[in-house]
Amino acid sequence: GASSPQSSPVPRAPRGRRSNVRNPVFSPAQPWLAPLAGWSDLPFRLLCREQGAAVCCTEMISAKGLVYGGAATRELLAVSPEDTPLVAQLFGAEPSFMAEAAKRLLDMGFAWFDCNMGCSVPKVTRTGAGAALCRDTDRARRIAEALIRVAGEGRVGFKLRLGWDSGRPAPSRTPTAVSLKAPAPDPTDTRADAGAGAPAIVPAARGATPPSLPPGETWRELGVALAGLGAGWLTLHPRTAKQGFTGEARWSAVAELKRLVSVPVIASGDLFTAHDGIRCLAETGADAVMYARGALRDPAIFAAHRRLAQGEPAPEPDAAELFARIRRHAELARSLTPPRPALLKMRTIVPRYARGPEHARRLRLAVIACRSWEEFDEVIARFENAARESALVKAPGDNNATSV
């Protein structure tokens, strides 16, 4: 389970070879934190781990930036002993640079890698990287071969989209009932580290004849090819690059990919709450889920996911816990990041945490205006006291109190 955000000491952030690397786990009961450009830095990863994230990914790392020794790229590689299992995500369009970047990361002590074939941001796709690889599958295969040759079979995952453009909107989903019966642990299953308590989610039967793909969708061809080359796992965000984050994620494609390949499949897309994650697992049979925007809204999504996966109710949002998470994130950021960048990061992340009614809007505006850590601390203390005095923090047995 997740530990108290106030109880853990702040870890140090050494660089260089890591001696305590643990293997990634693939289990419905153990959620992943996605690679989030600009967000999944060391302080945020540690906060999510304290809340129950089983595996975390670094921010997107440019292969060329790493090879050429860019200072900004090196800053993305800060780690700590507690930051494991950790997956380093690389992006690039040239097999030689991707291979060299992986070699350098191996020398630094990283052991697990993810290749970004899903980022749809134009400044990435214009270089031939990210989701552009979904429409250049030959190049994608060459990059995969180069990475796997360096890192070894089973140590590189690939994050995909449906393709560049399907030429049709994604269909709506019909919610299904979720069954979370906890099976006994399987001692022969090395992927399901969660053991007992993992939800009994059974994928659809293999062997069904899949429908033909819309023009421009390459996920089936590419996924099968990558698995055959020695991929350790596949993550599918079931939207096209052209869709970006519009429309709905087509979870049915995750279910089909799971039937087509023998490597673990991680589901991504439209996982805003822990209930979304559990429903996605039930609908797709995926081995795990990867939270992105849902984690930015509330890092406690990981704790809620674990409770739901054990058949327990997820806790209701609570103002006291909100302010505890803000303080803990600020503590980690101040200890592991230079003061000015740390403050700027908190000014952008707290408004994502504080959503909802008028008092949350006022908190967002006040935090955005902070120019110093002293001002930030004063704002958080003031709003926390106001929430307590206004009975915004739920009292025992009070089901009518409002949360921030």
Side-chain angles (χ1 to χ4, degrees):
S3 60
S4 167
Q6 297 181 355
S7 62
S8 302
V10 176
R12 296 183 179 180
R15 299 177 187 271
R17 181 166 294 279
R18 311 180 73 201
S19 60
N20 67 327
V21 174
R22 291 190 287 119
N23 295 350
V25 292
F26 302 93
S27 164
Q30 302 214 42
W32 288 41
L33 171 66
L36 297 166
W39 299 107
S40 56
D41 58 3
L42 178 59
F44 187 70
R45 293 196 305 267
L46 292 177
L47 180 69
C48 290
R49 289 187 190 279
E50 292 176 358
Q51 292 295 323
V55 183
C56 293
C57 301
T58 67
E59 300 179 56
M60 275 196 323
I61 299 165
S62 165
K64 281 191 173 182
L66 181 58
V67 171
Y68 288 138
T73 300
R74 289 196 302 271
E75 290 174 1
L76 301 179
L77 298 174
V79 297
S80 74
E82 297 82 0
D83 192 23
T84 184
L86 179 65
V87 176
Q89 193 191 63
L90 285 168
F91 78 95
E94 298 172 48
S96 59
F97 276 96
M98 294 289 275
E100 180 60 28
K103 288 178 185 176
R104 297 190 182 202
L105 288 172
L106 283 170
D107 290 341
M108 295 172 66
F110 289 88
W112 304 93
F113 305 91
D114 186 77
C115 177
N116 186 308
M117 296 185 177
C119 179
S120 60
V121 175
K123 72 176 182 179
V124 172
T125 59
R126 278 196 298 265
T127 69
L133 293 170
C134 291
R135 62 177 176 182
D136 189 350
T137 56
D138 288 340
R139 182 185 293 270
R141 288 189 185 94
R142 293 197 303 273
I143 288 174
E145 289 170 347
L147 285 172
I148 293 168
R149 191 181 306 118
V150 170
E153 288 194 14
R155 289 190 170 268
V156 184
F158 296 87
K159 196 165 191 290
L160 312 175
R161 287 219 175 208
L162 295 177
W164 187 254
D165 187 10
S166 68
R168 72 176 191 188
S172 298
R173 292 190 300 272
T174 302
T176 60
V178 178
S179 173
L180 290 174
K181 179 182 178 182
D186 179 357
T188 67
D189 185 358
T190 59
R191 296 185 303 162
D193 285 23
I201 297 170
V202 181
R206 295 176 182 267
T209 302
S212 59
L213 289 178
E217 289 198 9
T218 56
W219 57 273
R220 184 191 296 155
E221 166 201 351
L222 190 52
V224 170
L226 294 171
L229 290 172
W233 65 92
L234 300 174
T235 304
L236 181 60
H237 181 161
R239 286 184 171 90
T240 65
K242 286 288 190 181
Q243 279 183 279
F245 293 94
T246 63
E248 281 193 332
R250 201 167 83 217
W251 289 353
S252 61
V254 177
E256 184 180 339
L257 182 61
K258 176 61 183 170
R259 294 193 294 269
L260 289 171
V261 300
S262 59
V263 300
V265 172
I266 302 176
S268 175
D270 288 356
L271 305 179
F272 299 112
T273 69
H275 290 281
D276 293 334
I278 295 297
R279 193 173 80 253
C280 179
L281 289 164
E283 292 187 19
T284 65
D287 294 278
V289 293
M290 180 181 282
Y291 287 107
R293 288 179 289 171
L296 288 177
R297 291 184 178 187
D298 186 3
I301 195 170
F302 299 102
H305 181 105
R306 286 177 177 261
R307 289 190 60 167
L308 290 174
Q310 298 290 342
E312 302 172 5
E316 291 296 322
D318 181 87
E321 292 181 0
L322 166 66
F323 285 108
R325 278 194 293 279
I326 292 173
R327 288 197 307 272
R328 178 58 177 163
H329 194 170
E331 180 184 18
L332 290 165
R334 292 163 97 160
S335 299
L336 301 171
T337 312
R340 180 62 179 170
L343 178 61
L344 293 176
K345 182 62 66 73
M346 293 307 299
R347 282 170 44 176
T348 55
I349 194 69
V350 170
R352 289 176 175 267
Y353 295 162
R355 292 176 169 273
E358 175 64 19
H359 47 268
R361 189 185 73 85
R362 293 198 302 270
L363 172 60
R364 293 195 298 270
L365 293 174
V367 167
I368 291 170
C370 289
R371 296 179 178 272
S372 68
W373 275 110
E374 292 75 18
E375 192 175 352
F376 177 89
D377 292 338
E378 189 276 329
V379 165
I380 298 304
R382 172 159 47 89
F383 276 84
E384 185 173 17
N385 289 334
R388 189 179 298 114
E389 292 171 3
S390 302
L392 295 175
V393 178
K394 289 185 177 182
D398 180 7
N399 295 321
N400 296 316
T402 304
S403 62
V404 171

